[in-house]
Amino acid sequence: MMAELCLECFNQLNGTNYKSNEVCLEEDFCEGCGEWKPCVSQLQPKRLHHGLVKRICALFQKDKDI
């Protein structure tokens, strides 16, 4: 189970620099700073990586249709 941490505390604790569009946030009590604020609930895949995976899957789908 992951500790409930706001984005600032999450980045500080993990030595990362995630932006709000790279994570899923849910309103919760941050165990780092002790404030009610949006906390990281899940990391989202990078958009470029996600788009690439979608394109590769689409290519394989086209091959099946032939």
Side-chain angles (χ1 to χ4, degrees), residues 16-65:
T16 55
N17 191 28
Y18 287 110
K19 308 288 186 245
S20 60
N21 64 342
E22 297 175 315
V23 298
C24 292
L25 298 170
E26 293 181 10
E27 194 71 25
D28 208 334
F29 182 78
C30 175
E31 296 174 25
C33 64
E35 296 181 28
W36 282 97
K37 54 187 358 182
C39 292
V40 177
S41 63
Q42 182 179 346
L43 300 178
Q44 296 179 359
K46 297 280 186 183
R47 288 183 178 171
L48 177 63
H49 178 259
H50 184 67
L52 181 61
V53 170
K54 279 180 75 173
R55 288 185 186 115
I56 291 171
C57 289
L59 287 173
F60 283 111
Q61 184 64 34
K62 286 180 185 177
D63 288 343
K64 287 182 180 181
D65 294 339

